[in-house]
Amino acid sequence: MAKIQSWEVSDTFWEKVEPLIPPVEREPSKTYKRKAGGGRKPMPPRRIFEAILYVLRTGCQWKALPKERFGSPSAIHTHFMRWMRAGFFVGLWRAGLAEYDEMEGIAWSWQSIDGALVKAPLALEAVGRNPTDRGKKRKQATFINGRPWGPAINRRDRSKPA
């Protein structure tokens, strides 16, 4: 059996994901020049989902998606935003939790969350100053006549003859 990449979707996983994908709907308030179904054929939802998984697994930017494999990165991002607004990813998360709860069982009574989002109060004393914080260069240098640049020769006083 061939090994699949971490962003590729197996057929069994796709069977569970496909019903959750929101259908494309036209806005009834807009007027369209073309009939429904006209124009370029839509991108397959499986390829869109694989592209989203590719971004999540590799951490690459949307514009860095391999165009040869997934198509237009901006189109993928548009589909991602539309699916997110439709609640697709929340539904996928809930379906995954329900399936895991059915298979293994989640001990909901034993779940707890702990965390702290504050700076360590003694960190500055123990570590010292930030080595990259060297101060502003403008404050360090002394400038001629108060300007950051000046002529190399003394200026002539215009009130006196040359």
Side-chain angles (χ1 to χ4, degrees):
M1 187 163 112
K3 184 180 177 193
I4 63 171
Q5 297 289 337
S6 61
W7 60 84
E8 291 177 347
V9 179
S10 66
D11 293 333
T12 55
F13 183 53
W14 180 246
E15 288 173 4
K16 297 173 184 176
V17 171
E18 190 175 21
L20 301 173
I21 293 178
V24 179
E25 296 175 3
R26 296 181 99 178
E27 263 187 62
S29 60
K30 277 178 91 173
T31 56
Y32 295 95
K33 292 182 181 178
R34 294 185 180 164
K35 293 184 278 185
R40 186 179 295 179
K41 294 294 175 201
M43 197 178 294
R46 185 171 182 163
R47 189 178 343 151
I48 296 168
F49 187 65
E50 282 185 351
I52 293 169
L53 289 180
Y54 183 88
V55 170
L56 293 174
R57 290 291 298 161
T58 63
C60 75
Q61 297 175 350
W62 288 104
K63 293 289 182 184
L65 271 169
K67 197 171 190 176
E68 308 80 36
R69 174 151 172 77
F70 299 116
S72 168
S74 59
I76 299 288
H77 185 257
T78 303
H79 285 287
F80 169 75
M81 295 301 289
R82 184 174 60 83
W83 290 2
M84 189 177 66
R85 282 192 298 272
F88 165 71
F89 298 105
V90 174
L92 185 63
W93 177 256
R94 287 182 180 154
L97 273 179
E99 184 176 335
Y100 184 80
D101 191 24
E102 187 178 302
M103 286 175 20
E104 297 287 326
I106 299 174
W108 293 108
S109 60
W110 287 94
Q111 302 300 315
S112 67
I113 297 176
D114 185 18
L117 298 173
V118 296
K119 289 185 177 181
L122 303 176
L124 191 58
E125 295 172 12
V127 177
R129 290 184 28 150
N130 184 350
T132 60
D133 189 17
R134 297 189 181 111
K136 303 282 185 198
K137 289 194 175 198
R138 291 191 184 274
K139 290 182 182 176
Q140 291 176 354
T142 57
F143 299 115
I144 302 169
N145 298 333
R147 294 187 297 191
W149 58 272
I153 58 171
N154 291 335
R155 65 185 188 118
R156 181 173 73 97
D157 191 359
R158 299 276 176 189
S159 63
K160 296 180 183 176

